[in-house]
Amino acid sequence: MQETAITAHTATTTEYKLMGGQSLLDRWSSKKEFLLAQCQVAVILLVAHLGNIYPKSYHRNENHDPTTFYAVCGIMLAVALATMQRKETDPKRGVQLLSRAQTEEWKGWMQFAFIMYHYYRMYSAYNEIRCFVSAYVWMTGFGNFLYFDKTKDFTVDRAISMWLRINYFPLLLSVFLSVPLELYYVVPLHTTGFFITMASCWVCCALERRGMPYWKSRIGGLLICTVVHILFYETPAVNSLSLFSDEYLFRFQSDKYSALVGIWSGLVWSKFKAYMQWAYNGEEERTAAKWVQRFAGSALMALWWYGFGSISDKFVYNPVHPYIFWMPVAGWLMVRNSSKYLTELHSTALEFFGRITLETYVLQFHVFMCDNVQHIPQVIPGSGPDGLWGLNFLNMLFCGSIFVSLAWWARKVTVSTQNAVVDLMKEVRKGPKELSHSESELEDVALIKAENGENGENSK
């Protein structure tokens, strides 16, 4: 009887598997990677907590040091030049305008300046840093427009994947360290920019599906997006952001059009690329076009500086910033891509730093600095507001080394989490997995059933 019961159970199990009875956890191939990533992120959060409450520190206002700020920026420039690498473009692809490597390089040097601006309390660089933040948000609109316009991937997987990439680690830090999320204000700016871009592109594609030609559907969709922006940000409706916090109200108003300008830039990018092929992809570069481009780019940046960037009162500058930030952004891109050689060149050091901008952004407040960015940790004995310059510099390098290493690790585990969750979402959407089974396997089940009775009567 016992043997018969075991045989019946085996038949039931075999049939269950043949009919697709694997559990969701069995089918989730990335569950080990997910659990390992959570263990690692717990260690990172603990280190961030210990760094944030480091007992020996001094107030950041006492670390105001323009000379050292410019010195470390000069050192980073030297490192950037020393790590320049040229990757020649595939002739079939033509000249690449703002390649992925160049984008990461751009993010890298802006992030380095941004962090050092905080560390050395560089009040005078406020307007430039505002433009850097806007450039980041511009990239969100620009890059995601190109992605959605090409792939039309408006899936839940894509939305969850990007939401996790941007928000997962900052949210954990906010909860674990008991700090308001508004401290990491760039995170909601990027998140909102992503979903605005996704929605705008969906409208564009919906118009195209209704029979509109490509350009009419894209312009029509983006005009709708622009009108919505204006109706929200240029009317009292924008004050609804104060329900969350006054900080969010200020930050979102400062970058109210940054992602939108990025979206429009993505739309006309093909025209800029066509110009680049005309100017630089022939047997000889068009020298006149090169120098006109350089002059125009330099003029845009100079115009921004003399007209707005030199304003010393940030309360005077802030209201005009959303309307003029594009000037230094466009000027930089024109100068940086003013020859085929320059488009093929990038700094590997800055590229590395650019890949961990999200993690360095949130961890700077608790590891490179401490007490939610209000203090500077004193790890090297003798460093401090009255310490020797050399010791203070060593203290910065020591804390910076830990900070960058931790940021790199945090990025790695965030991406692992992101990929594992997307993998899980795919399995959830598939439902029970249907296993293929041969006729012989089905015959085996039928024989076992016949031997034990259709309802397993002999097992009683």
Side-chain angles (χ1 to χ4, degrees):
M1 289 178 64
Q2 184 178 1
E3 182 179 352
T4 304
I6 294 173
T7 305
H9 175 71
T10 303
T12 303
T13 303
T14 304
E15 182 182 19
Y16 176 75
K17 290 183 177 179
L18 289 173
M19 297 309 293
Q22 279 188 313
S23 69
L24 180 61
L25 288 178
D26 289 335
R27 290 184 281 118
W28 187 19
S29 60
S30 305
K31 59 179 178 291
K32 290 183 180 179
E33 290 81 359
F34 176 82
L35 294 174
L36 179 61
Q38 306 324 298
C39 293
Q40 293 179 75
V41 82
V43 176
I44 295 170
L45 291 172
L46 178 60
V47 174
H49 170 68
L50 294 175
N52 199 47
I53 62 171
Y54 194 76
K56 194 173 182 181
S57 63
Y58 58 98
H59 201 277
R60 190 161 56 102
N61 287 343
E62 299 181 71
N63 205 45
H64 175 61
D65 190 350
T67 302
T68 306
F69 171 80
Y70 289 117
V72 295
C73 287
I75 292 171
M76 177 52 82
L77 175 61
V79 172
L81 293 174
T83 58
M84 281 292 179
Q85 186 179 86
R86 185 184 181 188
K87 184 178 180 181
E88 293 192 29
T89 306
D90 184 349
K92 295 180 180 179
R93 298 185 65 192
V95 178
Q96 293 300 300
L97 175 60
L98 193 57
S99 65
R100 179 62 181 269
Q102 188 191 126
T103 302
E104 299 296 355
E105 175 198 88
W106 185 18
K107 289 163 57 180
W109 69 256
M110 288 194 300
Q111 183 73 348
F112 182 84
F114 185 43
I115 291 170
M116 290 304 170
Y117 158 81
H118 281 149
Y119 192 85
Y120 288 112
R121 213 68 170 120
M122 273 297 296
Y123 310 105
S124 58
Y126 175 84
N127 297 345
E128 289 81 0
I129 297 301
R130 284 271 84 243
C131 289
F132 294 172
V133 173
S134 295
Y136 285 125
V137 183
W138 177 90
M139 287 185 218
T140 299
F142 167 75
N144 282 293
F145 175 87
L146 294 181
Y147 174 84
F148 287 120
D149 191 57
K150 180 180 180 180
T151 66
K152 299 176 176 59
D153 177 18
F154 304 107
T155 60
V156 174
D157 287 358
R158 178 64 180 177
I160 291 177
S161 175
M162 290 306 298
W163 185 89
L164 279 171
R165 178 68 187 96
I166 300 170
N167 292 272
Y168 170 74
F169 186 60
L171 282 174
L172 287 180
L173 268 179
S174 176
V175 172
F176 191 77
L177 274 62
S178 299
V179 298
L181 189 59
E182 64 188 32
L183 180 65
Y184 319 128
Y185 66 88
V186 171
V187 173
L189 284 175
H190 281 302
T191 305
T192 305
F194 167 77
F195 283 108
I196 286 173
T197 309
M198 187 177 187
S200 301
C201 291
W202 184 88
V203 172
C204 292
C205 292
L207 293 175
E208 187 177 24
R209 287 194 299 271
R210 290 178 176 270
M212 271 194 179
Y214 175 84
W215 281 103
K216 285 186 177 180
S217 65
R218 296 315 186 262
I219 293 173
L222 296 194
L223 283 175
I224 293 172
C225 175
T226 302
V227 170
V228 171
H229 265 73
I230 293 172
L231 289 176
F232 181 78
Y233 282 112
E234 304 297 341
T235 68
V238 71
N239 294 323
S240 61
L241 291 171
S242 63
L243 296 174
F244 298 95
S245 75
D246 291 336
E247 181 71 9
Y248 281 144
L249 177 62
F250 164 65
R251 297 299 180 181
F252 274 83
Q253 283 185 310
S254 295
D255 280 294
K256 54 188 174 184
Y257 295 124
S258 299
L260 181 64
V261 174
I263 293 171
W264 279 102
S265 300
L267 176 63
V268 298
W269 206 244
S270 60
K271 303 299 182 183
F272 292 136
K273 291 179 71 174
Y275 158 77
M276 293 292 289
Q277 308 315 311
W278 171 80
Y280 306 121
N281 202 33
E283 293 184 2
E284 292 185 4
E285 293 184 345
R286 298 178 186 271
T287 305
K290 177 195 301 184
W291 287 102
V292 167
Q293 184 176 328
R294 289 173 178 174
F295 175 79
S298 300
L300 270 176
M301 290 187 283
L303 182 61
W304 171 82
W305 169 252
Y306 286 109
F308 309 100
S310 58
I311 298 173
S312 57
D313 187 346
K314 67 179 182 180
F315 296 105
V316 175
Y317 174 78
N318 283 334
V320 300
H321 171 79
Y323 308 99
I324 50 86
F325 81 90
W326 62 271
M327 296 168 66
V329 170
W332 166 254
L333 290 175
M334 292 172 72
V335 173
R336 180 64 179 81
N337 293 277
S338 59
S339 74
K340 182 180 179 181
Y341 178 76
L342 287 175
T343 64
E344 296 174 339
L345 203 65
H346 75 279
S347 164
T348 55
L350 291 178
E351 180 188 15
F352 165 80
F353 209 68
R355 292 185 184 277
I356 55 174
T357 50
L358 175 62
E359 290 73 26
T360 51
Y361 170 69
V362 295
L363 284 172
Q364 65 172 314
F365 302 113
H366 314 297
V367 180
F368 192 46
M369 290 159 273
C370 62
D371 193 19
N372 302 338
V373 83
Q374 296 304 314
H375 282 235
I376 303 295
Q378 294 174 266
V379 181
I380 301 295
S383 63
D386 301 318
L388 296 175
W389 182 90
L391 293 177
N392 289 341
F393 189 74
L394 285 176
N395 187 72
M396 182 274 293
L397 289 178
F398 181 80
C399 295
S401 299
I402 297 173
F403 159 61
V404 171
S405 301
L406 201 65
W408 175 84
W409 190 16
R411 179 188 185 276
K412 184 178 179 181
V413 298
T414 300
V415 171
S416 295
T417 301
Q418 176 190 16
N419 293 336
V421 172
V422 170
D423 181 45
L424 177 61
M425 290 297 298
K426 290 179 180 178
E427 294 299 334
V428 169
R429 192 172 58 254
K430 286 178 184 176
K433 186 176 180 182
E434 294 183 2
L435 301 177
S436 61
H437 37 272
S438 63
E439 292 182 3
S440 61
E441 289 175 324
L442 291 174
E443 289 174 0
D444 290 343
V445 173
L447 287 172
I448 294 172
K449 278 188 172 185
E451 291 175 0
N452 295 282
E454 183 64 28
N455 297 315
E457 293 175 355
N458 293 340
S459 64
K460 294 180 182 178

